[in-house]
Amino acid sequence: MEKIKKLKKIFKQFNLDGYIVPKNNSFFGEYVPVADDNLKYISNFTGSAGFAIILKNKNLMFVDGRYTTQATIQCGKNYKIFTIPKDYPFNVLNNKNLNLGFDPRLHTENSLNRLFKNSFIKLKPINENLIDLIWVRKKDLNIKPFYLIKDIDAGEKFENKLSKLKKKIELNKADFLFTTASENIAWLLNIRGCDTDYSPLPNSHAFIDKNKNVVLFCNLKKIKKSLKAKLNKTIKIYDLNQLPAFIANLFNKKILVDILTCSIFFKTLISKNNLVIEKQDPIYFLKSLKNKTEIKNSIKSHIYDGAALTKF
């Protein structure tokens, strides 16, 4: 493929033997917008999970058992297909001394350690995404506004959820929680968005301090004046591009970050001047305890889902 050849030509510029291309974008959600789907662009693979390792002389595609056949059909001509958990990069590339580049915004330390543990591979963060250098595209085409759901539909006010979260932040002896999962922000703020095709997610990150103040980072074009007027005054909203500068102004703070969704890029920025507490985002636990409204709506959604499947 011409695209793969273009990518490989860039390797010399960054002193690389290869490059890792994941499925996810910087929000680590299950569904990736078309304009962010680097893996599909470079491979034609359309499954919801997987990643490619493109080396100078070969191309490797790693998928789980759901997608082995699909990956073989869609990109088997240009890639050797491997199925996780039978094969991992650390055993496929064992004893090879390679410099592999990656975009630190698209990977967590947890995931890279799991994939490349105990190998001789040197992982090199490249702050410029190499796919961006060969794929000319228009991003942020989906500028649909965020919106609030009613407290009666959520079953609980934002303020109540925030009070519960405050206790979890204090329990971890942290000054801030850095929430990087959009679905957790959706639950906490009773806010929704249109950033993916199959789930009403508001792509965003947020800092929540131990005094219940929230700083939300997102595309400001998605925040209408009417929404801002309805939001609690403890919520401040900034453009996503301002997040690195916000982090750079934090000093000697204890910051709780999610081990599963905080990228290496942000963890590195935070750890320069602050203490990182790396655990699971406590919002996952809080939202797992369903209130009566959430239970009722879950039952209702299963009825709709069962009817749709039966009709099909």
Side-chain angles (χ1 to χ4, degrees):
M1 284 177 72
E2 195 62 34
K3 298 171 186 175
I4 300 175
K5 290 178 182 177
K6 285 182 181 178
L7 181 62
K8 291 183 180 184
K9 286 179 182 177
I10 303 172
F11 287 178
K12 192 174 182 181
Q13 181 182 338
F14 293 94
N15 190 27
L16 298 177
D17 299 305
Y19 191 66
I20 308 166
V21 183
K23 176 71 179 182
N24 59 276
N25 64 6
S26 60
F27 294 100
F28 294 91
E30 184 178 359
Y31 304 111
V32 181
V34 174
D36 289 340
D37 199 341
N38 293 336
L39 188 61
K40 183 188 175 190
Y41 172 79
I42 204 67
S43 68
N44 293 329
F45 173 65
T46 61
S48 67
F51 62 94
I53 299 176
I54 298 169
L55 303 172
K56 289 177 180 177
N57 57 352
K58 64 176 87 170
N59 312 309
L60 316 177
M61 177 66 70
F62 291 83
V63 296
D64 62 57
R66 296 172 296 168
Y67 293 123
T68 307
T69 303
Q70 179 179 332
T72 302
I73 293 168
Q74 291 181 329
C75 59
K77 288 182 181 178
N78 296 296
Y79 290 80
K80 187 170 182 181
I81 312 301
F82 295 93
T83 304
I84 289 175
K86 181 184 175 185
D87 297 303
Y88 275 95
F90 64 80
N91 56 35
V92 171
L93 300 172
N94 194 24
N95 295 324
K96 291 187 178 167
N97 192 356
L98 298 170
N99 279 334
L100 287 188
F102 69 94
D103 183 344
R105 292 173 179 81
L106 305 183
H107 298 269
T108 66
E109 276 190 2
N110 189 51
S111 65
L112 287 185
N113 288 339
R114 181 169 49 86
L115 298 174
F116 295 96
K117 64 180 179 181
N118 302 325
S119 69
F120 293 102
I121 294 163
K122 294 173 185 174
L123 297 171
K124 185 176 180 180
I126 309 290
N127 283 327
E128 196 169 11
N129 190 290
L130 300 194
I131 301 296
D132 287 342
L133 301 181
I134 63 171
W135 185 12
V136 180
R137 56 191 149 160
K138 290 183 179 179
K139 289 194 175 185
D140 292 330
L141 296 175
N142 184 13
I143 310 294
K144 293 181 181 177
F146 292 175
Y147 58 95
L148 283 173
I149 59 171
K150 295 176 182 177
D151 292 340
I152 194 170
D153 294 324
E156 191 173 5
K157 288 180 177 290
F158 148 73
E159 290 83 1
N160 293 346
K161 295 178 179 180
L162 196 56
S163 293
K164 292 177 183 177
L165 182 59
K166 169 185 165 68
K167 292 178 182 178
K168 294 292 182 184
I169 295 171
E170 289 174 338
L171 191 64
N172 284 284
K173 298 179 180 177
D175 298 302
F176 289 93
L177 165 65
F178 180 38
T179 299
T180 39
S182 299
E183 64 269 24
N184 288 355
I185 294 169
W187 178 85
L188 178 67
L189 304 182
N190 289 340
I191 201 169
R192 300 292 185 268
C194 307
D195 290 330
T196 63
D197 290 336
Y198 307 109
S199 189
L201 291 176
N203 280 347
S204 51
H205 298 320
F207 268 87
I208 301 107
D209 72 16
K210 58 185 178 182
N211 296 317
K212 301 195 287 188
N213 296 304
V214 179
V215 185
L216 179 68
F217 294 89
C218 61
N219 185 333
L220 288 181
K221 293 178 182 177
K222 297 175 184 178
I223 306 294
K224 299 297 182 185
K225 286 183 180 179
S226 56
L227 173 63
K228 210 166 186 179
K230 293 176 185 175
L231 288 172
N232 190 294
K233 290 180 181 178
T234 60
I235 303 172
K236 294 181 180 178
I237 307 172
Y238 296 99
D239 192 86
L240 195 59
N241 293 329
Q242 293 177 275
L243 179 52
F246 177 87
I247 293 171
N249 285 317
L250 296 175
F251 292 91
N252 301 320
K253 302 296 184 184
K254 295 176 183 177
I255 301 174
L256 179 61
V257 304
D258 181 38
I259 195 169
L260 297 176
T261 61
C262 182
S263 69
I264 291 171
F265 175 80
F266 284 124
K267 185 186 172 186
T268 302
L269 275 182
I270 292 168
S271 61
K272 278 184 180 178
N273 300 309
N274 304 279
L275 176 67
V276 171
I277 303 170
E278 204 169 10
K279 291 186 177 180
Q280 187 182 63
D281 184 340
I283 293 176
Y284 284 112
F285 172 77
L286 292 174
K287 71 178 186 180
S288 72
L289 303 173
K290 304 301 183 189
N291 60 51
K292 290 180 180 179
T293 300
E294 288 171 326
I295 292 170
K296 184 182 76 174
N297 287 338
S298 182
I299 293 169
K300 190 187 290 186
S301 68
H302 277 285
I303 293 170
Y304 289 154
D305 178 66
L309 182 61
T310 303
K311 285 180 182 178
F312 174 76

